[in-house]
């Protein structure tokens, strides 16, 4: 039985949406069931690697109902299968369970999503910014953040030659 | 002392000129290479272009041993405090070359994370334009800097004390204020 069939029978009433584009198998899952489904895929199926966690900001996106989509790409190193799991979260406090307990690679990936989109992961051991400086306050990949920033790149002391 | 009394191989000069002559021909660069321009800086220093011909080949990775900072590449806002700190750690007298479009102005990277020209935050003596500048261009820059040091350099560096103004534009130029205001207005209309 393929992983998708197993999911279909196990989480029958949970509103999972399956779709496929070429060899790209995608599953949309409700945020409340996310951890359970990922744990199932890790422990009872054979998806032993978390390849990617990323997010999409759907602000002003045509036909989008939710603000953020969070995407997990998991891989089975045994069968080379690949699954794309997608879930949605919303303002004002986007929050998801951390999957660090399942895959250790979630550590930095979730920190990056937090840094860029401000989506928090409960249960993450060390949810700090990873790319931008610690004192940065905005979430730069959100669509409502201006490309040129809000002046963060200017707030440094200016050294003149006489004083340095 | 009449000229005829001067032995061979002795010439007279001012102390300032002698010091500047020595300094200008033994620049020790601090390669602050953060991006693609850094590759060109390396090419300049290596055998094909051979920066050693101009006495500036001793790249030192400790700022304490350098007197010429070459900022090669874009500087992101997370890196800028490091750049400033390294600049402050360099002993006097010291000079700074801003190499490439990115170091001079931010180049095409006009984004929230990239500093729009290092001259806004550290004093720059010489700009080398280009994306990336060719090694010849960087060498021309170094020769121009040598000229600058020879003409007007002083033994105790008094010429630096006169530069009390920042080299670059003020961090908030009008354009930027307008851009930020526009962005904020757009935000308000969205929300
Ligand atoms: S000026 Fe061009 S070559 Fe130099 S760092 Fe910028 S993009 Fe790279």
């Amino acid at each position: 039985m393929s992983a998708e069939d197993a999911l279909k029978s196990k989480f029958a009433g949970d509103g999972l949406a399956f779709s496929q584009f070429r060899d790209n198998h995608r599953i949309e899952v409700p945020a409340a069931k996310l951890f359970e489904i990922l744990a199932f895929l890790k422990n009872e199926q054979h998806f032993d690697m978390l390849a990617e966690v990323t997010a999409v900001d759907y602000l002003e996106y045509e036909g989008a109902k939710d603000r953020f989509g969070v995407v997990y790409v998991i891989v089975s190193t045994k069968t080379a299968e690949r699954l794309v799991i997608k879930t949605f979260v919303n303002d004002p406090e986007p929050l998801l369970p951390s999957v660090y307990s399942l895959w250790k690679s979630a550590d930095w990936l979730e920190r990056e999503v937090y840094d860029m989109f401000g989506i928090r992961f409960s249960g993450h051991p060390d949810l700090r910014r990873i790319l931008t400086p610690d004192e940065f306050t905005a979430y730069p990949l959100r669509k409502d953040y201006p490309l040129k920033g809000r002046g963060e790149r200017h707030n440094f002391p200016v050294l003149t030659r006489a004083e340095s | 002392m009449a000229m005829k009394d001067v032995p061979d191989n002795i010439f007279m000069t001012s102390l300032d000129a002698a010091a500047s002559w020595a300094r200008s021909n033994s620049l020790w660069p601090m390669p602050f290479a953060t991006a693609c321009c850094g590759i060109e800086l390396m090419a300049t220093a290596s055998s094909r272009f051979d920066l050693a011909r101009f006495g500036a080949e001793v790249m030192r990775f400790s700022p304490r041993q350098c007197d010429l900072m070459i900022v090669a590449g874009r500087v992101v806002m997370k890196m800028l405090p490091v750049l400033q700190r390294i600049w402050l750690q360099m002993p006097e007298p010291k000079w700074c070359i801003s190499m490439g479009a990115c170091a001079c102005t931010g180049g095409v990277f006009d984004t929230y994370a990239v500093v729009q020209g290092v001259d806004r935050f550290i004093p720059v003596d010489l700009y080398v334009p280009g994306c990336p500048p060719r090694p010849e261009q960087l060498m021309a820059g170094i020769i121009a800097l040598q000229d600058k040091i020879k003409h007007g350099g002083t033994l105790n560096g008094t010429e630096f004390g006169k530069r009390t103004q920042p080299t670059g534009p003020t961090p908030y130029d009008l354009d930027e204020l307008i851009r930020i205001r526009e962005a904020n207005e757009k935000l308000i209309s969205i929300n």
Side-chain angles (χ1 to χ4, degrees), chain A residues 48-121:
Chain A
D48 47 3
M49 176 175 155
L50 176 69
E52 171 74 324
V53 179
T54 185
V56 191
D57 187 351
Y58 283 111
L59 184 73
E60 295 183 84
Y61 189 81
E62 226 170 277
K65 290 193 282 303
D66 301 280
R67 172 82 195 263
F68 300 106
V70 182
V71 182
Y72 295 78
V73 181
I74 53 176
V75 182
S76 160
T77 53
K78 296 189 189 72
T79 62
E81 269 179 276
R82 205 168 262 267
L83 274 189
V84 182
I85 316 281
K86 190 168 182 181
T87 188
F88 295 98
V89 280
N90 276 300
D91 275 342
E93 280 281 299
L95 181 77
L96 279 176
S98 168
V99 295
Y100 177 75
S101 53
L102 300 176
W103 297 280
K104 294 281 174 287
S105 66
D107 187 354
W108 282 13
L109 295 172
E110 286 177 352
R111 276 177 66 187
E112 189 185 351
V113 171
Y114 166 67
D115 189 2
M116 291 291 145
F117 292 92
I119 297 168
R120 304 191 75 87
F121 292 89

Side-chain angles (χ1 to χ4, degrees), chain B residues 35-37 73-74 100-102 109 130-132:
Chain B
C36 8
C37 275
R74 49 196 166 270
C102 291
F109 303 95
C131 178

Side-chain angles (χ1 to χ4, degrees), chain A residues 147 153 157 159 161-162 164, chain B residues 84 87 92 94 111-112 121:
Chain A
L147 174 64
R153 58 188 182 183
L159 301 179
R161 190 62 183 84
S164 63
Chain B
Q84 287 189 326
W87 171 255
E92 292 280 1
K94 56 191 172 186
T111 74
Y112 64 92
F121 302 108

Side-chain angles (χ1 to χ4, degrees), chain A residues 60 130-133 136 140 144-154 156-162 164, chain B residues 77-78 80 84 87-88 92 94 110-112 114 116 120-121 123 160-161 163-164 166 171-172 176 179 183 187:
Chain A
E60 295 183 84
I130 189 168
L131 296 171
T132 56
F136 206 78
D144 52 5
Y145 184 76
L147 174 64
K148 292 177 183 163
R150 299 210 177 93
E152 288 89 349
R153 58 188 182 183
H154 302 296
F156 296 100
V158 182
L159 301 179
T160 66
R161 190 62 183 84
S164 63
Chain B
M77 49 176 284
K78 200 169 176 176
L80 190 78
Q84 287 189 326
W87 171 255
L88 289 175
E92 292 280 1
K94 56 191 172 186
D110 193 2
T111 74
Y112 64 92
V114 180
Q116 299 299 293
R120 292 175 182 224
F121 302 108
F160 299 130
R163 290 167 56 184
T164 50
Y172 265 123
E176 244 141 14
R179 282 203 297 258
L187 258 188

